[in-house]
Amino acid sequence: MLFWFVIAYWLVSVAIGLLAATRVHNTRDFAVAGRHLPFSMVTATVFATWFGAEAVLGIPATFLKDGLGGVVADPFGSSMCLILVGLFFAAPLYRMNLLTIGDFYKRRYGRSVEVLTTLAIVISYLGWVGAQITALGLVFNVVSAGAVSQVAGMWIGSITILVYTLFGGMWAVAVTDFLQMIIIVIGMLWIGNEVSGMAGGVGEVVGHALNSGKFAFFPAADAKEVIAFVAAAVTMMLGSIPQQDVFQRVQSAKTEKIAVWGSVLGGSLYLVFAFVPMFLAYSATLIDPAMVGRLIDTDSQMILPELVLSRAPMVAQVLFFGALLSAIKSCASATLLAPSVTFTENILRPALPHLTDRKLLFWMRVVTFCFTVLVTLYAMVSDASIFKMVENAYQITLVAAFIPLLGGLFWRRATNQGALVSIFCGIGVWLAVHLAGGESPFIPAQLAGLMAGAVGMLAGSLVRQWVPHDEGAHERLRHGHHAADVHGVAHEGIGAVHRH
């Protein structure tokens, strides 16, 4: 019965997504919902996109093993990313009226930087979307009692999500995200109430976790541990900022104010509700310690689903798996759309300059289909945990795209040469540390790459200009946007004067 409830819910949500597809008439509708989303939908899509498989399965499993200090990357780093985007990045980017984050790099630095950052952004989505596809396979396998294999579940999930994303684009994502956020909140709170009753109440669970040291957040006073802690925090806090899915939510808002505060509120809600699955998973240590002991070192992501299936009544099971599927679907649809749109707009479109808007929309859909197949194959062969797949996804954008974005918005002397040096230094050092540093180098690869990228931007922008200017970009910049933070302080980032 649980399986058929899940199938019915799945079909209804796909139908709603297809209904939303009737509002897509051009590429702007497909990519950023025509910039028509109200505050409630922007907040919902920010929250629902980030509340995915890692929030319900990956974060609780990591918390059980490592406590709060182990989840500094997500939810702490990821929620701070959304809040920082709202406070400092949303307003200046919204005023530029762009279709993709790659368009910013093109306008600010020229074609070469646009291509390099776009490729980094697209590659980074393999891990994140792969985590959602992996979780879909797990859910279908669990609710069908093994009748649907995990691999078959991956393909069923990815193909059905593809259907409404392919036709509805950002409109379908936004409408389904709004409904799924409601289901996530209701489902998580309902099952939280059920599970807390089994464990002896919220106070009993929290007290037990406190006495077990699970609330220890900051690392010991050891240099290597502190550096590793900082590296984990900044990976998602900063590496997630130059991402197309975050940018799409900013650009889809009806007004600049909605773009700013929708991101801030969505990030805050994500941080709050991410604690519910952690509470549920830790409750299992009191309710069924034998089951937790059996799974903690072999398949810790299954602890929460096993608890619900073995101990919760049918209504709670339906609500839990409905909320879990909502979380995964909203995240997967958004992260399938984002890299497909940016690849089509920033890589494919310049190679085919005579495309009409109708043809461009066609190619966006073709790329979405191809990326879905690719990322499903990646999920099938990857043996990383859901949490690690998500955490690792942002390292490449952290080292390759964050510093050029930061410098381009808030430092008027940043140049195309500085951006290129930053990208090559960031990626080069990141790869070198990965290859030479073993499993646990003193300075983690992503942090070393971030620092190298910052030095590269400074050095490349301040020394004599050797890289030829993109004259078209320079002309666009003369008439372009002057960045400002949300308090109105001017940062003449976009009207930069290149140094010779």
Side-chain angles (χ1 to χ4, degrees):
M1 185 173 291
L2 173 62
F3 178 71
W4 291 112
F5 269 122
V6 167
I7 293 298
Y9 165 73
W10 191 261
L11 292 175
V12 169
S13 61
V14 170
I16 292 171
L18 288 174
L19 184 63
T22 59
R23 304 195 66 166
V24 175
H25 305 292
N26 52 49
T27 54
R28 185 158 290 268
D29 289 338
F30 188 82
V32 292
R35 287 168 65 104
H36 290 317
L37 296 186
F39 178 73
S40 58
M41 293 188 75
V42 171
T43 302
T45 195
V46 168
F47 168 82
T49 297
W50 283 65
F51 200 95
E54 73 286 356
V56 183
L57 300 176
I59 292 173
T62 305
F63 173 73
L64 283 180
K65 292 181 178 180
D66 305 322
L68 278 185
V71 296
V72 61
D74 194 10
F76 293 99
S78 51
S79 59
M80 278 305 301
C81 161
L82 297 171
I83 293 169
L84 290 174
V85 166
L87 293 178
F88 299 106
F89 293 86
L93 288 173
Y94 186 85
R95 293 178 204 139
M96 295 180 72
N97 194 23
L98 304 172
L99 194 65
T100 69
I101 188 69
D103 289 343
F104 166 81
Y105 294 105
K106 181 179 181 180
R107 182 179 294 186
R108 182 62 174 87
Y109 300 114
R111 175 66 177 157
S112 297
V113 176
E114 173 196 17
V115 170
L116 291 172
T117 52
T118 296
L119 289 175
I121 290 166
V122 171
I123 291 169
S124 74
Y125 277 97
L126 283 174
W128 194 7
V129 188
Q132 313 312 315
I133 301 301
T134 299
L136 282 173
L138 186 150
V139 171
F140 279 113
N141 178 255
V142 168
V143 299
S144 66
V148 177
S149 71
Q150 192 158 342
V151 171
M154 289 181 187
W155 284 108
I156 292 169
S158 61
I159 290 170
T160 49
I161 290 173
L162 173 66
V163 169
Y164 71 80
T165 307
L166 195 68
F167 293 101
M170 189 60 193
W171 267 118
V173 170
V175 171
T176 53
D177 277 1
F178 181 75
L179 297 174
Q180 286 160 359
M181 187 188 84
I182 297 172
I183 294 170
I184 290 168
V185 171
I186 293 174
M188 286 291 113
L189 292 179
W190 183 290
I191 194 69
N193 181 64
E194 291 281 340
V195 169
S196 67
M198 298 179 208
V202 174
E204 180 69 21
V205 176
V206 173
H208 192 279
L210 184 63
N211 293 333
S212 300
K214 295 299 181 182
F215 288 154
F217 182 67
F218 295 103
D222 174 79
K224 187 174 181 178
E225 288 191 27
V226 171
I227 291 172
F229 180 85
V230 172
V234 301
T235 297
M236 294 187 71
M237 186 188 306
L238 305 182
S240 305
I241 290 176
Q243 287 283 7
Q244 176 63 17
D245 61 286
V246 176
F247 178 84
Q248 278 180 301
R249 275 129 197 82
V250 168
Q251 293 296 317
S252 299
K254 189 181 295 185
T255 67
E256 180 183 313
K257 187 176 181 181
I258 289 174
V260 170
W261 295 110
S263 183
V264 171
L265 181 57
S268 302
L269 288 173
Y270 173 69
L271 178 61
V272 171
F273 274 92
F275 280 92
V276 178
M278 284 190 271
F279 169 81
L280 296 175
Y282 195 81
S283 298
T285 62
L286 302 181
I287 299 169
D288 195 346
M291 180 268 290
V292 173
R294 175 171 51 87
L295 294 175
I296 190 68
D297 293 319
T298 57
D299 194 3
S300 56
Q301 295 169 163
M302 280 297 300
I303 289 175
L304 189 48
E306 283 276 358
L307 175 70
V308 173
L309 283 173
S310 63
R311 297 301 184 103
M314 178 59 66
V315 173
Q317 290 181 28
V318 170
L319 285 171
F320 172 78
F321 284 102
L324 176 56
L325 283 174
S326 293
I328 298 170
K329 283 173 78 277
S330 59
C331 191
S333 59
T335 49
L336 284 176
L337 179 65
S340 305
V341 167
T342 195
F343 182 86
T344 307
E345 171 70 12
N346 300 111
I347 302 294
L348 194 59
R349 184 178 187 176
L352 303 170
H354 302 298
L355 284 179
T356 63
D357 189 78
R358 187 181 182 87
K359 284 287 187 182
L360 184 64
L361 178 59
F362 167 78
W363 279 109
M364 282 184 178
R365 286 169 168 158
V366 170
V367 173
T368 303
F369 174 83
C370 294
F371 189 78
T372 302
V373 174
L374 177 64
V375 81
T376 306
L377 293 173
Y378 172 81
M380 288 171 58
V381 301
S382 177
D383 58 357
S385 70
I386 290 172
F387 186 85
K388 279 297 178 186
M389 288 174 76
V390 172
E391 185 179 16
N392 293 338
Y394 298 106
Q395 292 192 19
I396 189 169
T397 45
L398 177 69
V399 303
F402 175 70
I403 294 297
L405 175 64
L406 185 69
L409 281 174
F410 302 113
W411 189 40
R412 65 175 299 165
R413 299 181 72 178
T415 66
N416 59 327
Q417 176 173 278
L420 288 170
V421 174
S422 174
I423 293 168
F424 286 116
C425 286
I427 292 178
V429 170
W430 175 63
L431 290 174
V433 175
H434 264 304
L435 294 173
E439 288 296 318
S440 183
F442 185 78
I443 298 181
Q446 70 269 33
L447 187 58
L450 176 65
M451 294 187 294
V455 172
M457 172 61 80
L458 290 170
S461 297
L462 295 177
V463 301
R464 180 181 177 185
Q465 187 83 8
W466 293 101
V467 177
H469 292 303
D470 181 328
E471 295 300 331
H474 182 75
E475 181 63 23
R476 288 191 297 273
L477 291 174
R478 281 202 317 114
H479 302 287
H481 161 86
H482 290 269
D485 66 22
V486 296
H487 300 293
V489 180
H491 302 274
E492 296 180 351
I494 302 304
V497 178
H498 292 276
R499 256 179 121 243
H500 294 271

